[in-house]
Amino acid sequence: MSITNEHVYVMQLDQLPILIGKEVHIKNESIALFRLSNGEVRAIGSRCPHTNGPLAEGIVSGEFVYCPLQDWKVSLVTGHVQPPDEGAVPTYDVILKNGEIYVSL
């Protein structure tokens, strides 16, 4: 048996400003997208595991986003909250192709 992730078109890359998050909804998943200063695009679950705050509205620093409600620091690579806080959000693979963003579900 093999499981194949589905790559879902989300938007044009130029519609996602650098270091400004954007929340999108794909098949009942709420996902926060971020375009980092190095050009990479990261996708994580859109809600902070502690406050349920909207991570897409958080401040991006390097490969982390700070929850806008209580400054919890969430990795955009692993989805883990930086200790001593605890928790994690799901991460999603992102594919950039011909200036378009696709997220794997």
Side-chain angles (χ1 to χ4, degrees):
M1 180 170 111
S2 66
I3 298 174
T4 304
N5 287 345
E6 179 180 1
H7 307 296
V8 178
Y9 170 78
V10 179
M11 68 178 65
Q12 294 291 125
L13 179 61
D14 60 7
Q15 293 176 317
L16 184 61
I18 295 173
L19 303 181
I20 304 294
K22 184 162 190 144
E23 186 172 348
V24 297
H25 300 276
I26 305 170
K27 297 186 175 185
N28 297 322
E29 300 283 336
S30 183
I31 298 171
L33 289 175
F34 299 92
R35 185 174 172 191
L36 305 181
S37 58
N38 65 5
E40 292 181 12
V41 175
R42 300 289 180 175
I44 63 172
S46 68
R47 296 293 165 176
C48 174
H50 177 243
T51 63
N52 202 31
L55 292 176
E57 296 177 18
I59 295 173
V60 177
S61 177
E63 293 187 335
F64 294 90
V65 62
Y66 290 85
C67 173
L69 298 183
Q70 289 199 342
D71 273 347
W72 277 31
K73 189 175 179 182
V74 179
S75 170
L76 296 172
V77 177
T78 66
H80 290 107
V81 175
Q82 186 177 36
D85 300 317
E86 298 177 351
V89 296
T91 60
Y92 302 90
D93 290 333
V94 173
I95 297 172
L96 300 177
K97 184 177 179 182
N98 300 326
E100 298 175 331
I101 301 171
Y102 295 83
V103 173
S104 296
L105 296 180

